[in-house]
Amino acid sequence: MSESSDAPRPERDRPWVMRTYAGHSSAAASNALYRRNLEKGQTGLSVAFDLPTQTGYDPDHALARGEVGKVGVPVSHVGDMRALFDGIPLAEMNTSMTINATAMWLLALYQVVAEEQAEAAGLDPDEAVRALAGTTQNDIIKEYLSRGTYAFPPGPSMRLITDLVAHTVAEIPRWNPINICSYHLQEAGATPVQEVAYAMSTAIAVLDAVRDSGQVPPERFGEVVARISFFVNAGVRFVEEMCKMRAFVRLWDEVTLERYGVQDPKQRRFRYGVQVNSLGLTEAQPENNVQRIVLEMLAVTLSKDARARAVQLPAWNEALGLPRPWDQQWSLRIQQVLAYESDLLEYADLFEGSVVVEAKVEELLAGAREEMARVAELGGAVAAVEGGYMKSELVASHARRRSRIEAGEEVVIGVNRFESTEPNPLTADLDTAIQTVDPGVEAAAVEAVRRWREERDADPARRERAERALARLREDAAGSANLVPATLECARAGLTTGEWAGALREVFGEFRAPTGVTGSVGIAAGSAELARVRELVRSTGEELGERLRVLVGKPGLDGHSNGAEQVAVRARDAGFEVVYQGIRLTPEQIVGAAVAEDVHLVGLSILSGSHMELVPDVLERMRAAGAGDVPVIVGGIIPDADAARLKALGVAEVFTPKDFGLNDIMARFVDVIRESRNLAPPAADSDAPAPA
């Protein structure tokens, strides 16, 4: 007799924490969004900060132009933090803050607001602080390799991490002071082996620094290990990605037991959150991104022994622009269907005993251990960053991936196979398919932060307290004291993000990370298509009597440099002389380099949405410098309407993620240069391959 459908079902595991990465425009607007998301069943907050906040600048700083409120919420002082969490009791919340260089500052603001909330409710503020649960990302190593939101050199940055870890273990015991982030490594091109190896090497660097600082007694070091969490990526090859997570679990247990002697298995548990892969999301046929997101989520939820503690999913339209609240809700509902409608959480680990899975895990472990040994030989993660090794490896790995896609060896549906499509009703009106930020947001934020400083300094007592706090911060930074107490006083005294970071820049200095673009990597050396482009570059240079020179520039604070790096690498492979100085340049610096190097073409890469502010500035400065005849092209996540406006302003060409063929882009570079120099179109090459 068959089992009755009314038989009791197995007890279900508790679901992972469900988050949506969110924040934009202003603290008040983001607060309203958070409240709505919590009402929809979201079980944790994941705060996105804008680029000025992430890199330590106030909204009125020159580098902040065009970036305020675009990719996250601006938080300039404790008043903004109060508004961000108004009506949301922090002592009862689990909050993840995607913040790195300024993590100490943002957690200080968060702690001060929690204290204020407790005092207003007649509760003990110290108890409220000890109850705080959540995570500061705080992994600066990967910022030098991928996202680019570093503010200080590696050495002082590691000190800030160490001080924050020591403070939280002692004062905020439920807080994860750092997310070791392999997510951004995969976005920058890392293979699964590189992702595991570089993340583990970073974790070792952090744990060694905390241990060697002497701030945590040896008998409490297990508590440090227990508060280290990871933030990982999961790509669409979900079987391999699931095996990667099992490898992470095993390797972390091995490292924490053998290197640090942590005996308690609970303290050695690999604790991670995940944002599934945004690198693989496509602008072409973006509806396909939904199934990609589902497959990627399965990689980090199917295996109970390696299941994520928290999951946040991108939205289907992130390759087009900023997702709307409805798009984020869709991603949340994907998680809820898996957790509450399916039977996934009713079973033990599904892959225990699998010969196939075990073999793949061992393969990944062997590769990761080998790469970790290589990093250790170089002096560890910090030295491998400063020397450029890890960055160069990631750039080369990403170039190989791009080459496979261009050759059709790696299939991307809708991009290099099955490209025909019915009209998409989701994107029929692109102006409503993504969220746009009101241009007035930046002006309002600039005015607000200036008013905050003026009102503070108009009160002699408040001004004096702020000055004393800043002086103490500088003094402690120049010495060896833990910097959290001075930072907390800066927060209470009403100092701003830019003032806090500016004081530390005075003491620690500035830093420019290696670009990883050191020359041709020869990825497409045997390509007939690239050979044709090389000939176009050579012959055009001969006609002009000089080698063609291209400047690749990243204006503003956008540190997502993968696209710019791949363009620079392929341009060198194609025979161009390439000028690439890395991220975070002002329009003035870019124009100065273009004029000094006498380039034939300027290429600007912007993915943060600030193109309509920064590109016109570059164009105006080029004309003022007498270089208005040098063509400017732009690449990035740029809506069609903005692309048309940019071309009307004088931009020669606009490339977006759908233009994935780098050789085609290189050929267009030559066309644009020839048009600008009034050269006739090159003679047709009868042996050239037909367009794909």
Side-chain angles (χ1 to χ4, degrees):
M1 182 176 176
S2 63
E3 183 180 345
S4 168
S5 60
D6 293 330
R9 291 177 175 175
E11 184 177 345
R12 301 169 66 86
D13 288 339
R14 187 174 66 179
W16 50 90
V17 175
M18 299 183 190
R19 292 192 170 112
T20 302
Y21 184 52
H24 65 86
S25 302
S26 68
S30 297
N31 174 264
L33 176 62
Y34 296 162
R35 290 183 186 226
R36 290 199 303 273
N37 286 346
L38 291 170
E39 289 170 1
K40 294 171 184 172
Q42 184 173 304
T43 52
L45 293 177
S46 183
V47 182
F49 296 99
D50 73 353
L51 289 174
T53 304
Q54 291 185 50
T55 49
Y57 295 104
D58 286 336
D60 58 346
H61 192 280
L63 273 172
R65 184 184 176 194
E67 309 282 16
V68 178
K70 286 283 174 63
V71 300
V73 56
V75 175
S76 300
H77 46 70
V78 71
D80 285 341
M81 191 66 85
R82 288 185 196 119
L84 186 62
F85 292 106
D86 181 39
I88 300 175
L90 298 188
E92 302 172 17
M93 192 53 52
N94 187 305
T95 304
S96 170
M97 294 195 282
T98 301
I99 197 75
N100 297 282
T102 55
M104 181 183 289
W105 172 246
L106 270 296
L107 183 56
L109 295 177
Y110 189 86
Q111 177 177 330
V112 170
V113 170
E115 293 168 349
E116 293 176 349
Q117 288 183 350
E119 289 169 354
L123 302 174
D124 183 348
D126 291 338
E127 287 301 314
V129 170
R130 294 187 67 80
L132 294 179
T135 303
T136 33
Q137 195 168 97
N138 201 25
D139 173 5
I140 203 65
I141 295 295
K142 61 93 176 53
E143 296 301 321
Y144 302 119
L145 300 175
S146 53
R147 288 181 70 246
T149 65
Y150 55 84
F152 315 111
S157 294
M158 287 296 290
R159 176 185 171 186
L160 289 170
I161 292 172
T162 299
D163 287 355
L164 190 60
V165 171
H167 170 77
T168 54
V169 167
E171 305 295 336
I172 319 179
R174 297 182 62 203
W175 194 268
N176 300 328
I178 186 170
N179 256 163
I180 306 295
C181 290
S182 71
Y183 172 87
H184 307 91
L185 301 179
Q186 189 178 119
E187 295 283 293
T191 64
V193 163
Q194 289 172 325
E195 187 179 341
V196 173
Y198 295 165
M200 283 295 168
S201 297
T202 297
I204 288 170
V206 170
L207 289 174
D208 282 1
V210 174
R211 179 196 61 196
D212 298 344
S213 75
Q215 295 189 65
V216 179
E219 64 273 15
R220 295 192 65 184
F221 199 74
E223 296 174 46
V224 175
V225 171
R227 298 321 306 175
I228 302 295
S229 62
F230 288 75
F231 185 59
V232 307
N233 205 328
V236 77
R237 292 171 56 82
F238 80 98
V239 174
E240 183 176 51
E241 294 293 292
M242 183 272 294
C243 292
K244 178 189 74 181
M245 297 320 307
R246 294 174 76 89
F248 255 130
V249 169
R250 195 176 303 178
L251 192 54
W252 180 243
D253 187 75
E254 176 184 304
V255 167
T256 53
L257 177 62
E258 296 178 4
R259 187 181 183 94
Y260 301 107
V262 178
Q263 298 301 312
D264 186 345
K266 291 183 179 178
Q267 293 180 329
R268 299 199 308 269
R269 187 177 296 155
F270 184 79
R271 300 156 59 253
Y272 78 97
V274 63
Q275 156 98 12
V276 306
N277 198 334
S278 295
L279 175 67
L281 301 185
T282 62
E283 180 183 9
Q285 300 181 26
E287 64 276 10
N288 295 337
N289 294 330
V290 176
Q291 51 264 37
R292 292 184 179 109
I293 290 167
V294 171
L295 285 170
E296 291 164 354
M297 178 177 61
L298 290 175
V300 295
T301 54
L302 276 180
S303 172
K304 180 177 180 178
D305 291 350
R307 183 170 292 151
R309 295 293 189 88
V311 177
Q312 59 192 44
L313 304 181
W316 68 277
N317 56 349
E318 286 194 17
L320 305 176
L322 185 68
R324 302 156 299 185
W326 182 84
D327 306 310
Q328 294 180 329
Q329 174 184 297
W330 190 356
S331 291
L332 175 62
R333 295 291 186 249
I334 291 172
Q335 293 200 57
Q336 291 169 331
V337 168
L338 180 64
Y340 297 111
E341 292 190 27
S342 86
D343 58 351
L344 173 66
L345 297 179
E346 297 175 6
Y347 295 95
D349 193 273
L350 304 178
F351 303 99
E352 185 176 352
S354 166
V355 175
V356 172
V357 169
E358 182 60 24
K360 187 63 179 178
V361 171
E362 285 296 337
E363 175 191 323
L364 293 171
L365 282 170
R369 291 187 183 111
E370 182 180 340
E371 188 63 14
M372 287 170 67
R374 193 169 294 118
V375 171
E377 288 172 6
L378 294 171
V382 173
V385 164
E386 292 175 327
Y389 169 74
M390 286 201 287
K391 181 65 174 178
S392 295
E393 289 295 296
L394 292 177
V395 170
S397 178
H398 199 172
R400 285 190 287 270
R401 175 182 177 272
R402 287 292 303 245
S403 182
R404 290 194 302 272
I405 292 173
E406 290 179 76
E409 297 166 6
E410 187 168 319
V411 175
V412 182
I413 303 302
V415 172
N416 63 2
R417 191 177 294 183
F418 310 118
E419 297 163 60
S420 62
T421 179
E422 297 296 326
N424 184 345
L426 291 173
T427 58
D429 182 1
L430 273 177
D431 290 337
T432 61
I434 57 174
Q435 179 160 313
T436 56
V437 176
D438 184 344
V441 163
E442 182 165 322
V446 168
E447 171 59 27
V449 76
R450 287 175 177 168
R451 186 168 60 251
W452 173 273
R453 289 194 299 254
E454 289 168 0
E455 291 177 358
R456 179 196 68 198
D457 294 343
D459 181 329
R462 292 179 63 199
R463 182 179 70 248
E464 183 180 351
R465 183 179 184 183
E467 290 172 350
R468 285 201 311 269
L470 211 52
R472 177 188 174 185
L473 179 67
R474 292 191 186 97
E475 182 180 345
D476 285 2
S480 58
N482 186 301
L483 291 172
V484 174
T487 296
L488 282 166
E489 176 54 21
C490 286
R492 295 180 179 120
L495 288 167
T496 67
T497 299
E499 289 172 325
W500 177 84
L504 293 182
R505 281 188 172 97
E506 291 175 22
V507 178
F508 295 154
E510 302 271 3
F511 180 75
R512 293 198 68 79
T515 66
V517 182
T518 54
S520 169
V521 295
I523 294 301
S527 162
E529 187 180 4
L530 182 59
R532 172 180 167 273
V533 175
R534 281 198 189 110
E535 177 56 27
L536 288 173
V537 172
R538 186 201 62 77
S539 61
T540 300
E542 273 193 0
E543 287 183 65
L544 293 175
E546 55 187 335
R547 187 178 177 191
L548 298 189
R549 291 180 296 281
V550 174
L551 181 144
V552 178
K554 284 198 65 63
L557 296 176
D558 170 32
H560 287 84
S561 56
N562 301 336
E565 290 157 2
Q566 293 307 308
V567 167
V569 167
R570 186 60 61 86
R572 282 194 170 139
D573 280 345
F576 289 100
E577 181 180 329
V578 178
V579 179
Y580 177 60
Q581 298 172 319
I583 64 171
R584 213 180 300 171
L585 299 171
T586 64
E588 183 179 18
Q589 289 171 321
I590 289 172
V591 171
V595 172
E597 300 289 344
D598 192 23
V599 299
H600 299 88
L601 179 74
V602 172
L604 304 178
S605 170
I606 305 175
L607 286 88
S608 63
S610 59
H611 46 271
M612 292 311 303
E613 292 84 5
L614 297 176
V615 174
D617 192 1
V618 171
L619 292 172
E620 291 171 11
R621 291 177 183 275
M622 291 285 287
R623 296 182 189 112
D629 58 336
V630 177
V632 174
I633 63 171
V634 181
I637 300 175
I638 300 171
D640 289 344
D642 286 356
R645 290 171 60 196
L646 290 173
K647 287 186 176 181
L649 290 171
V651 169
E653 189 63 88
V654 175
F655 297 102
T656 67
K658 68 177 180 293
D659 302 301
F660 76 97
L662 286 176
N663 290 330
D664 293 336
I665 292 173
M666 295 302 111
R668 183 61 186 137
F669 279 15
V670 178
D671 291 342
V672 168
I673 291 171
R674 294 184 70 89
E675 290 163 9
S676 72
R677 300 299 178 106
N678 296 315
L679 297 179
D685 183 354
S686 59
D687 295 325

